[in-house]
Amino acid sequence: MSSSFTVLPGEQVPAQHVNLKLGPGLFQIQSSKQSETSIISTRAGTVNHSANNSKWWVESNSRRYVPAPQESVVGAVVGRSGEGWRVDIGSAHFALLDGLAFEGATKRNKPNLKIGALIYARVSLAHKDMEPELECFDAQTRKAAEFGELKGGFMVRCSLRMCRQLLDPKHFLLPFIGSRFPLEVAVGTNGRVWISSKEVKHTIAIARCIEAVDPDGGGLDESGIKTFFNTLDL
Amino acid sequence: LRELSIGYEGLDRVDGSARFGFGWSFTGSAAALSSISGPIEVRLAAENPSQATFEVLLRPLSNVPGTESKALASTIRNLLTPSIILTQNPRTLVQLVVQALIPAEKFYSPLVASIINASTLALMNAGSIPMRGIVCAVSVGRFRSNIMPTSSLILDPSDDELSSLQGIGCFAFLFGTGQTGGSEVVWSNWQSSISFSEEELIKARDLARGGAEKVWIGMKQSVGRVG
């Protein structure tokens, strides 16, 4: 990744490439002069681009999730809707999860999700005019992979950038906690993280560590989290 | 232009919040606190199938919001709407709640400018609402002068200077590419106790444009600090 710079919404971004791909936070507008178009940023954040300048995006933090396809999310079932369920994924509208959207599901063999159950699913349809739809299997292989119901555990809310950091394999937090005690984590890109461990105080410790490292409230780095962890009564 | 105080509050249960004040501390200067939630679920009556609904609620520091609050809220809604891309999230609600932080019987120009700037900062802080530009506002006052035939204009009058002004107004500018010159006026109000000419208004507007550019730079620096 090359150098990045801060932009405010409405600022022009010098993104030029033959096969230009605009990521989140960038928008192409018609210039009022000739019929040329320019790329402007729609968020306040840092502009990053890939090494060959073909992919550009704006990195910023937010708390409200706007659904995008092929993202893995943690959702809570809030009701039944016909053949399937309505799931709260933190977006403006509830998402629909069809009863047959599971591996090996038939009309007679559907999973039994109760209201309040947590699921880990993939957003299969996220159009701005329609309600988002979820599926509980992998797109290419059509196998369950890690999707499905999350039994037990505890759901923690955090900012969206924290979730993206937790999904990064090079981030320090989860390996650090994993070296102290065993835990299971499911990170959704919608600002929700499901954690599960054998003891309650471990679960509380993980929740507090996530809150402490969250860029919104604390933003501790690796050495900070080590001192913070030692103050917890474990 | 007084030193700007910008803070991102991190209020609970909302998606973005910010505080803005003219003056080095938030108390004693024209300051406002604003919060944004969106895109969130909207009441069926207010739902728009092609774009998001933008709602502004304005609260003075004391008393319930009255007629003037509602009128100013409607004005702020009209001047902020061009800066938000509402078509990307149809059938949702973007709700802005602004709280004035200084006791004032009426909303005077520096406070209105703070309210507009705080709203813009909250929208940027939320991050989930796409914007096509930034609205910055400053107030300009006109000094009483008995000696010279032409009176002098002052940018961002402080509270002590307010009593010696003959006229005061607030100018809001939209900074975004696509417009020539970098910024255009989206709203202005100018009240004066004596008559004024059009060229004086143009001078006031140009003075305000320079001040708004400084506000824009201050906002950009605050994003660099936080982000």
Side-chain angles (χ1 to χ4, degrees), chain A residues 10 40 62-64 93 129, chain B residues 15 87 90-91 126 131 177 220:
Chain A
I40 59 163
S62 47
R63 262 123 267 129
R64 173 75 45 183
H93 302 114
D129 295 315
Chain B
D15 302 327
T87 51
R91 300 187 307 125
M131 303 169 70
T177 49
K220 181 154 182 183

Side-chain angles (χ1 to χ4, degrees), chain B residues 73-206:
Chain B
S74 161
T75 309
I76 290 178
R77 182 180 176 279
N78 287 331
L79 68 88
L80 283 178
T81 300
S83 69
I84 313 176
I85 302 176
L86 291 169
T87 51
Q88 280 202 355
N89 295 294
R91 300 187 307 125
T92 61
L93 173 68
V94 177
Q95 189 179 58
L96 170 70
V97 181
V98 191
Q99 167 84 55
L101 290 175
I102 49 166
E105 311 85 40
K106 62 191 295 290
F107 292 99
Y108 62 109
S109 289
L111 182 57
V112 174
S114 287
I115 287 173
I116 297 170
N117 293 330
S119 314
T120 304
L121 287 170
L123 278 166
M124 286 204 302
N125 185 245
S128 42
I129 303 156
M131 303 169 70
R132 63 165 65 88
I134 298 270
V135 181
C136 298
V138 283
S139 54
V140 170
R142 181 192 187 205
F143 255 136
R144 190 199 315 271
S145 74
N146 302 320
I147 315 160
M148 296 185 286
T150 59
S151 47
S152 55
L153 298 169
I154 177 171
L155 179 67
D156 186 33
S158 64
D159 295 340
D160 335 317
E161 292 161 338
L162 281 176
S163 48
S164 54
L165 294 177
Q166 281 173 326
I168 191 166
C170 178
F171 293 86
F173 297 87
L174 174 64
F175 289 88
T177 49
Q179 290 102 4
T180 52
S183 69
E184 70 174 49
V185 183
V186 282
W187 182 70
S188 66
N189 76 350
W190 182 259
Q191 302 134 333
S192 171
S193 54
I194 65 161
S195 65
F196 57 94
S197 63
E198 186 178 334
E199 57 176 57
E200 190 172 317
L201 189 60
I202 292 176
K203 267 197 270 187
R205 185 188 68 195
D206 293 334

Side-chain angles (χ1 to χ4, degrees), chain A residues 156-188:
Chain A
V156 179
R157 306 242 349 242
C158 60
S159 68
L160 300 198
R161 185 189 270 186
M162 183 70 213
C163 293
R164 291 193 286 264
Q165 285 177 346
L166 285 174
L167 284 168
D168 183 4
K170 297 194 277 286
H171 190 64
F172 62 85
L173 183 63
L174 291 175
F176 170 71
I177 300 180
S179 66
R180 301 301 174 105
F181 46 78
L183 77 156
E184 264 191 278
V185 166
V187 181

Side-chain angles (χ1 to χ4, degrees), chain A residues 153 166 172-187 193-199 202-207 209-210 229:
Chain A
L166 285 174
F172 62 85
L173 183 63
L174 291 175
F176 170 71
I177 300 180
S179 66
R180 301 301 174 105
F181 46 78
L183 77 156
E184 264 191 278
V185 166
V187 181
V193 181
W194 175 84
I195 50 185
S196 167
S197 63
K198 291 209 177 55
E199 295 195 33
H202 291 162
T203 309
I204 297 176
I206 306 169
C209 285
I210 291 179
F229 201 81

